[in-house]
Amino acid sequence: MYSATVFIISKRKELSVKYKKLLKALNHEVYVISNLAEAFREIPNKEPELIIISDTIGEELSDFCEKIRVLTFNFRPIIIALSKSSEEEDRTKVLNAGADDFLSEPISSLEFQARINAHLRRYIENSLNPVTFFVQKNFTLKYLNRIIDAKKDCAVILLDILGLNLYREIYSELAYEKVLQTVASIVNSTLNSEDFVGHHFGSELVMVTTIEKAQKVAQFLVFAFENVVERFYSKNDFENKFIIFSGDEKIENKIPLMKLGVAVIQNENGRYKDYKDVMNSLYMILKMCKKSEKSSCYFDRLQLQGQGQEKNKKILITESDEALSYLLQTNCNLNGFDAYVVEKGDDILSVYNSLKPSVVIVDYGREDTKEGISICEKIKLINKNTKIIFSSSLHAKKEILSAGADLYLPKPYEINALIKWIQKFLDE
């Protein structure tokens, strides 16, 4: 699954071709360079994992190893010296100059491959995440740049376990690692030796596969995760479809269950210029996954973006305390929101339907009628994307969040805290 880029720096053509064939047989990408100026130019560009330097380069081997080590200090490749000499002084001088190994020629093909494999195996193992055993971010970004430079037609998949960080905080580090290991097993079951998978930020994984296979892989990942997510939660949390983190006396937004977001793009005909371009496109698609209630996958399509479309900043307030409702409306308007107040009653849904607000602030109301709970449930039936902030002097967090509220806000509360939550919901 993980292949390396190898530079052979030598002026001896026949042996260079031999070594190249031996390394390509191990599924590595190999470049033969006979010009020292070209070597100094290409090494920083391609950042090879391994550099083989022959004593035919026309410069003292130890001096050249020192220069290469300085040139590559930021990505630290393996440096192997090749020489016809077997003298101890020559070997130690080169090793002390920065080489990781010294191979005396002639050397058998099997020994050459075994030694190279040993070095690369250790190099890749040191780059692996200890939980998933996938390579870390620096290796991933390097791989993306290589396929872009090579104009390789392929599909790039970004996978993220949305909600994993909050799950980690609530359920412990051990449970967090179990989720990652399970997802890693699912990913491994979909890929073969020609595909690539590595970490990006946090729980994000980047996968590279063929264009023909990408859609089936993405759909299977979603299907498999939805079928195992239940095992990570207590029975009560899974049945509620959300997690309560603290007691009724504290403010809390609804913490949904984890879901898998999978974004897929096609890299064809030099479409992307670098890994940043690729990741930006994937993040744009991943935003759609975040809006979905369950695990989902989305694919890149030509999208037309509207111009001059303003964000909906309408806030609907239903608060039985007249003084408080006036205070809320005033503060919302002062912070740039379009706030409207409506009294509870039969007309609230008609006002909601005509106004189409982004955020609704609801209070519990009378304990016997639970009018606020009823309003919350009806609004969510009309539009599940409307954000509902539910304030209450009654401690009924589970009931309120189960009714569809996105934030539980116990009274009394700070107005500034409410304003910050409104802005957060508008920015989502």
Side-chain angles (χ1 to χ4, degrees):
M1 190 176 290
Y2 302 124
S3 60
T5 295
V6 181
F7 276 17
I8 300 175
I9 304 173
S10 174
K11 292 185 177 180
R12 196 182 304 150
K13 186 175 181 181
E14 291 180 2
L15 278 177
S16 297
V17 171
K18 173 189 173 183
Y19 294 141
K20 181 176 180 178
K21 287 181 179 178
L22 291 173
L23 292 172
K24 287 183 75 68
L26 299 175
N27 200 34
H28 300 307
E29 186 178 5
V30 187
Y31 297 87
V32 176
I33 300 175
S34 58
N35 184 291
L36 295 186
E38 183 184 356
F40 283 120
R41 184 175 63 252
E42 290 299 322
I43 287 173
N45 288 338
K46 291 197 173 356
E47 295 188 356
E49 281 73 40
L50 187 145
I51 301 174
I52 300 173
I53 307 170
S54 168
D55 60 0
T56 63
I57 56 176
E59 184 174 332
E60 183 70 29
L61 197 54
S62 58
D63 292 342
F64 191 67
C65 286
E66 284 184 348
K67 291 177 182 178
I68 294 297
R69 185 58 71 207
V70 171
L71 183 67
T72 61
F73 74 96
N74 60 331
F75 62 95
R76 185 58 174 83
I78 303 161
I79 298 176
I80 296 179
L82 273 175
S83 175
K84 289 183 177 181
S85 172
S86 58
E87 295 294 327
E88 180 180 355
E89 182 181 353
D90 292 336
R91 296 199 305 271
T92 56
K93 188 176 180 181
V94 169
L95 292 171
N96 289 331
D100 297 286
D101 202 356
F102 185 101
L103 304 183
S104 296
E105 296 176 304
I107 181 172
S108 72
S109 298
L110 288 177
E111 183 181 356
F112 177 80
Q113 287 180 317
R115 284 180 175 273
I116 296 298
N117 257 349
H119 283 290
L120 287 174
R121 182 172 60 248
R122 184 167 57 253
Y123 182 92
I124 292 174
E125 285 173 354
N126 288 335
S127 299
L128 297 180
N129 181 285
V131 178
T132 63
F133 297 105
F134 295 146
V135 291
Q136 301 281 28
K137 177 186 173 184
N138 60 336
F139 206 107
T140 301
L141 299 185
K142 189 187 293 187
Y143 185 85
L144 286 179
N145 271 335
R146 285 175 183 168
I147 63 171
I148 293 166
D149 289 342
K151 293 182 170 52
K152 179 180 178 180
D153 287 352
C154 60
V156 184
I157 302 172
L158 176 63
L159 175 156
D160 194 12
I161 310 168
L162 304 170
L164 181 60
N165 287 334
L166 284 172
Y167 174 87
R168 181 185 197 173
E169 188 175 349
I170 297 167
Y171 273 82
S172 80
E173 186 73 19
L174 187 62
Y176 162 82
E177 291 183 357
K178 193 66 178 177
V179 174
L180 283 180
Q181 289 168 352
T182 302
V183 171
S185 297
I186 295 171
V187 169
N188 275 325
S189 70
T190 67
L191 302 180
N192 56 38
S193 60
E194 296 178 355
D195 299 322
F196 172 89
V197 58
H199 282 267
H200 195 237
F201 286 114
S203 58
E204 297 170 357
L205 294 176
V206 174
M207 305 162 63
V208 180
T209 186
T210 62
I211 293 173
E212 295 76 19
K213 196 168 80 170
Q215 184 169 343
K216 290 182 179 179
V217 167
Q219 291 171 341
F220 176 77
L221 291 172
V222 169
F223 169 79
F225 187 82
E226 282 295 295
N227 278 275
V228 300
V229 69
E230 180 179 359
R231 71 177 65 170
F232 302 123
Y233 291 95
S234 67
K235 183 179 179 181
N236 189 50
D237 283 344
F238 188 76
E239 288 177 351
N240 289 337
K241 301 302 180 185
F242 62 85
I243 306 171
I244 294 177
F245 184 61
S246 56
D248 283 346
E249 70 282 357
K250 292 186 178 180
I251 182 173
E252 184 168 352
N253 66 313
K254 183 187 288 186
I255 302 174
L257 303 184
M258 290 181 293
K259 59 185 179 182
L260 198 68
V262 183
V264 185
I265 63 169
Q266 294 182 9
N267 179 46
E268 294 179 295
N269 304 319
R271 179 178 175 186
Y272 298 99
K273 59 182 180 180
D274 56 27
Y275 79 85
K276 292 180 181 178
D277 199 14
V278 169
M279 295 310 301
N280 286 338
S281 296
L282 287 168
Y283 280 134
M284 290 297 292
I285 300 170
L286 195 64
K287 285 183 179 180
M288 294 186 283
C289 299
K290 293 178 179 179
K291 295 178 181 179
S292 174
E293 288 188 342
K294 294 185 177 181
S295 299
S296 58
C297 56
Y298 287 89
F299 306 88
D300 62 338
R301 299 287 187 269
L302 183 61
Q303 298 181 13
L304 300 176
Q305 297 182 349
Q307 297 181 357
Q309 185 175 1
E310 295 183 1
K311 184 181 293 185
N312 180 359
K313 294 186 176 183
K314 294 176 183 177
I315 314 298
L316 181 61
I317 302 168
T318 64
E319 170 60 55
S320 56
D321 186 325
E322 187 176 345
L324 181 56
S325 66
Y326 176 76
L327 182 62
L328 292 176
Q329 183 181 26
T330 302
N331 274 272
C332 285
N333 289 333
L334 287 174
N335 282 276
F337 311 136
D338 301 324
Y340 302 83
V341 175
V342 61
E343 295 181 3
K344 287 190 177 72
D346 296 336
D347 62 338
I348 186 170
L349 292 181
S350 61
V351 173
Y352 169 82
N353 285 324
S354 62
L355 193 62
K356 293 181 174 56
S358 293
V359 179
V360 179
I361 302 171
V362 182
D363 81 321
Y364 197 96
R366 288 171 51 186
E367 188 174 0
D368 58 341
T369 62
K370 298 184 179 181
E371 190 176 2
I373 293 291
S374 176
I375 292 171
C376 184
E377 291 173 339
K378 289 175 181 177
I379 288 175
K380 283 297 184 179
L381 285 175
I382 297 171
N383 186 353
K384 63 184 179 181
N385 294 321
T386 301
K387 297 296 183 181
I388 298 178
I389 298 175
F390 204 117
S391 67
S392 173
S393 56
L394 299 172
H395 289 172
K397 181 183 288 188
K398 181 178 178 180
E399 180 186 30
I400 289 169
L401 294 177
S402 297
D406 297 281
L407 177 70
Y408 166 77
L409 189 64
K411 293 180 179 179
Y413 56 83
E414 294 288 337
I415 297 294
N416 287 339
L418 175 67
I419 295 298
K420 288 179 180 178
W421 275 104
I422 293 173
Q423 188 61 61
K424 181 181 184 297
F425 285 143
L426 291 177
D427 290 340
E428 289 182 354

